[in-house]
């Protein structure tokens, strides 16, 4: 990576380091969740590991005080950047009453937080896409200046909702940005058995919008594309489809054994391109991250993750009767 690229993209040194802090925080929370799961303390993990650069790079290109996001289950980097805290994520993992996503009712990683404009998602993949298109339609109808941003996996781009949502967005030129996080697998199904076209972004053409494929391990490259897409959206030029290429470092979830369908050598190879390492090196080479700063960042993040874990572990469960809440009008 060429030095000081962030400056030519309009990012301050502080913002460039902040991107790194968010990526690392997401990674560290995720790693802790796996330990808690294996220790029998939390029931389920579905990881962001390997996708943090795409998620955080994209989020920093949005207006994090105005735009709406419809994330999918791996998007810990997106929801952290939009204001959800480590503590809130842990409360969700432990299914505690204070979990802002669902009060401990939903599976973990089914994000939703009104105050941070994070749309609640349901389990059938890609249902969030038409929702995000609807939010963009609302922006148009109410003449408001915000964009809506939606993410999904590449396997999920084969669902009907993808076609219906993007076609509608294209016809009406709505301010919605779709980012497909292509991590090469849909559970056990490799990319070549999911998608017949060379790139998922090739599909944009049939919806009358630009489609780009970007290196999802490079947060600045993703930032640049999403920023451009947001400018288009705000100028009334309509939607954009972005495909961010990365790799899923963990098994699909804590209930999956990926040794059944991929070689560990392939995983190890992908980890050589880990954005946490390459982006830290970029910041070091640009002279804006020193060893001392890195040490301080890691110490702070460790403390944040420890505090969040302890708080959530000791927090109260919801009352059993509360499971009946919000089923009918309430
Ligand atoms: C409509 C629907 N079909 C199947 C599932 C089960 N399922 C959950 S995640 C997943 C794989 C999705 O793969 P991809 O879109 O590539 O996202 P990734 O998990 O790789 O990030 C499947 C099949 C589901 N949740 N919803
Ligand atoms: Mg995938």
């Amino acid at each position: 990576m060429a030095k000081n690229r962030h400056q030519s993209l309009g990012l301050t040194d502080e913002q460039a380091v902040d991107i790194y802090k968010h990526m690392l925080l997401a990674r560290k929370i995720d790693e802790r969740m796996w330990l808690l799961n294996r220790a029998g303390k939390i029931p389920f993990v579905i990881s962001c590991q390997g996708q943090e650069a795409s998620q955080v790079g994209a989020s920093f290109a949005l207006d994090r005080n105005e735009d709406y996001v419809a994330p999918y289950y791996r998007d810990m980097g997106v929801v952290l950047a939009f204001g959800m805290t480590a503590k809130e994520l842990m409360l969700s993992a432990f299914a505690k009453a204070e979990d802002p996503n669902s009060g401990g009712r939903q599976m973990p990683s089914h994000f939703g937080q009104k105050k941070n404009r994070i749309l609640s998602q349901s389990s059938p993949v890609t249902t969030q896409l038409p929702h995000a298109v609807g939010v963009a339609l609302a922006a148009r109808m109410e003449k408001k200046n915000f964009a809506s941003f939606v993410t999904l996996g590449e396997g999920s781009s084969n669902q009907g909702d993808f076609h219906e949502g993007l076609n509608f967005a294209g016809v009406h030129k709505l301010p919605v940005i779709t980012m497909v996080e292509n991590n090469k697998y849909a559970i056990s199904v490799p990319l070549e058995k999911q998608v017949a076209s060379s790139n998922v972004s090739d599909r944009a053409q049939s919806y009358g919008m630009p489609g780009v494929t970007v290196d999802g391990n490079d947060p600045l490259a993703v930032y640049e594309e999403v920023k451009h897409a947001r400018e288009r959206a705000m100028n009334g030029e309509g939607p954009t489809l972005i495909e961010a290429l990365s790799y899923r470092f963990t098994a699909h979830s804590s209930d999956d054994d990926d040794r059944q369908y991929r070689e560990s050598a392939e995983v190890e190879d992908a980890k050589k391109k880990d954005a946490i390492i390459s982006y830290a090196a970029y910041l070091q080479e640009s002279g804006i991250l020193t060893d001392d700063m890195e040490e301080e960042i890691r110490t702070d993040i460790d403390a944040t993750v420890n505090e969040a874990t302890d708080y959530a572990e000791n927090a109260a469960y919801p009352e059993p009767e509360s499971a009946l809440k919000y089923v009918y009008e309430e």
Side-chain angles (χ1 to χ4, degrees), residues 273-287:
K273 293 189 206 135
D274 187 349
I276 302 275
I277 294 166
S278 57
Y279 189 56
Y282 162 81
L283 295 174
Q284 295 251 9
E285 280 156 27
S286 300

Side-chain angles (χ1 to χ4, degrees), residues 21-22 24-30 32-33 36 42 76-77 79-95 98-101 111 113 115-116 300-313:
K21 287 182 186 169
H22 280 82
L24 193 60
L25 178 61
R27 174 70 59 90
K28 292 291 173 189
I29 296 171
D30 202 287
R32 173 62 58 82
M33 285 180 174
L36 292 166
I42 63 172
M76 199 192 286
V79 298
L80 282 171
F82 267 76
M84 197 177 288
T85 65
K87 194 193 266 186
E88 290 170 333
L89 287 161
M90 280 295 178
L91 283 162
S92 162
F94 278 94
E98 276 182 88
D99 157 32
N101 297 279
F111 305 115
Q113 192 175 32
K115 73 169 182 184
N116 286 320
D300 281 355
I301 287 178
D302 282 349
T304 302
V305 176
N306 286 341
E307 256 172 58
T309 308
D310 291 344
Y311 184 90
E313 191 169 7

Side-chain angles (χ1 to χ4, degrees), residues 31-64:
E31 286 176 352
R32 173 62 58 82
M33 285 180 174
W34 278 91
L35 291 177
L36 292 166
N37 174 265
R38 293 320 194 215
K41 292 191 174 192
I42 63 172
F44 183 75
V45 187
I46 192 151
S47 274
C48 64
Q49 289 186 45
Q51 296 172 221
E52 300 94 338
S54 307
Q55 297 168 358
V56 179
S59 300
F60 270 65
L62 298 169
D63 184 334
R64 289 182 285 147

Side-chain angles (χ1 to χ4, degrees), residues 72-74 123-125 153-156 159 183 185-187 252:
Y72 89 118
Y73 45 81
R74 292 199 196 280
S123 290
V125 296
E154 81 292 343
S156 302
Q159 285 288 123
N183 61 10
Y185 285 88
I187 311 186
H252 173 73

Side-chain angles (χ1 to χ4, degrees), residues 189-259:
V189 183
L191 183 60
E192 64 274 13
K193 289 191 179 152
Q194 299 175 42
V195 185
S197 56
S198 309
N199 298 299
V200 175
S201 62
D202 295 345
R203 296 174 171 185
Q205 198 190 351
S206 54
Y207 305 125
M209 65 179 78
V212 286
T213 297
V214 64
D215 179 0
N217 292 323
D218 178 350
L220 299 180
V222 178
Y223 173 87
E224 185 171 13
E225 291 303 342
V226 176
K227 192 172 179 218
H228 182 56
R230 192 176 187 281
E231 281 161 8
R232 293 189 64 251
M234 291 299 101
N235 291 337
E237 293 168 61
T240 306
L241 175 63
I242 297 166
E243 174 186 21
L245 298 176
S246 66
Y247 190 84
R248 198 190 73 207
F249 287 173
T250 66
H252 173 73
S253 75
S254 52
D255 295 337
D256 170 49
D257 180 0
D258 61 332
R259 292 169 302 184

